[in-house]
Amino acid sequence: MLLPVGRTKRGFTLIELLVVIAIIAILAAILFPVFAQAKDAAKKTTCMSNVRQIAFATFMYADSEDDRFPAWAAKSPPINGGNSNYVPPDVQVSAYTKSREIWCCPRDEGQRDNPNGMPFWNGDDLKRPTLRSYAYVGPINTTEARTLDPNTGMYEFLDRNRWDTTGRTSTGIESPSEMVAWVEQWSPVWRDQYYGTVWGSGFIQCNTSKLAGRNYPAKGPADTPPPGCASEYRSQPTKGHSNIGNYAFADGHAGAKPWGQIRKNDFAAFKAQKSSQTFEP
């Protein structure tokens, strides 16, 4: 068959093919990070939405309970075949949340142990285990107290040898808008966080080592541990979102905070009554 005058039929040369492949590779190298960043931003937004719902639910709980916030482990007989007499804080505020899915951050990459054998107040929660990426703030170690600080956290221990606690009142917190109630943390060294079990539900003692943004190994004074927490500060913290964690506050709002702001002034954001002293870091 004769081709029209002035036209020839040919395929790509090797050089042209290589040029096309190179262009595709360059475009992929440019676009893939953009797609990854967009995906991560969507996860960060979802996580912040979760924390906002948890903050509001906690505030509503206090409003309906004569101004008292949840305990860490409220005592009550188990239901639906549960094996624990302790109701964790996530279950206590569940009446004011939309679903249990809000308790898992989409970026939560922490490994978990098998939940069988863990203490669940409601047996149904063991039947459909849901990861929990957030913990309720209790007493933590501070420089001011030189040990476990009773002025920190959303609840107080009735007896330090037991899990019994009582939640603080909002009037017992000097500045609810500056008081952290829940933290985002899914450190790789904490493997028992499931919705419905009291294990891993309390953010206590040296758990500040697990907060996002802390440099590991330490790079400055802000990364140094409070008294009694040296060993815990040798482990990796939560990755968070570009090394920033999401936090729920006692007045019902939520915010993203870098490690430096949370560590500032001896973990002042966790203190019910603000200290008259100034601490470094």
Side-chain angles (χ1 to χ4, degrees), residues 39-202:
K39 186 176 181 180
D40 188 57
K43 291 180 178 180
K44 180 180 179 180
T45 299
T46 300
C47 185
M48 177 56 74
S49 175
N50 292 347
V51 176
R52 286 197 181 101
Q53 292 182 61
I54 293 169
F56 184 70
T58 305
F59 178 79
M60 290 300 296
Y61 176 95
D63 187 60
S64 65
E65 293 292 330
D66 296 326
D67 190 43
R68 191 169 295 280
F69 287 101
W72 172 30
K75 293 199 73 173
S76 181
I79 63 174
N80 301 321
N83 60 351
S84 173
N85 290 316
Y86 293 105
V87 186
D90 47 7
V91 174
Q92 293 178 55
V93 304
S94 62
Y96 304 97
T97 59
K98 294 181 179 179
S99 70
R100 67 175 55 215
E101 280 67 34
I102 70 167
W103 294 96
C104 182
C105 172
R107 280 217 65 200
D108 188 341
E109 302 167 355
Q111 300 298 313
R112 300 295 198 277
D113 292 329
N114 190 318
N116 291 319
M118 293 183 185
F120 284 83
W121 173 73
N122 185 345
D124 288 344
D125 293 330
L126 176 58
K127 295 175 184 176
R128 48 176 183 150
T130 301
L131 302 188
R132 182 178 57 215
S133 310
Y134 314 102
Y136 191 48
V137 177
I140 61 171
N141 284 37
T142 67
T143 297
E144 183 175 20
R146 303 302 302 172
T147 182
L148 194 66
D149 192 339
N151 182 41
T152 55
M154 297 295 293
Y155 53 87
E156 302 169 325
F157 285 104
L158 299 178
D159 182 339
R160 292 194 180 187
N161 295 318
R162 304 184 311 183
W163 286 358
D164 297 34
T165 61
T166 180
R168 296 186 190 275
T169 61
S170 60
T171 53
I173 296 174
E174 180 178 332
S175 180
S177 65
E178 298 177 342
M179 178 71 171
V180 176
W182 293 84
V183 303
E184 174 192 1
Q185 64 82 31
W186 25 275
S187 167
V189 299
W190 206 345
R191 304 171 64 95
D192 56 0
Q193 285 184 276
Y194 286 95
Y195 173 86
T197 176
V198 73
W199 285 6
S201 64

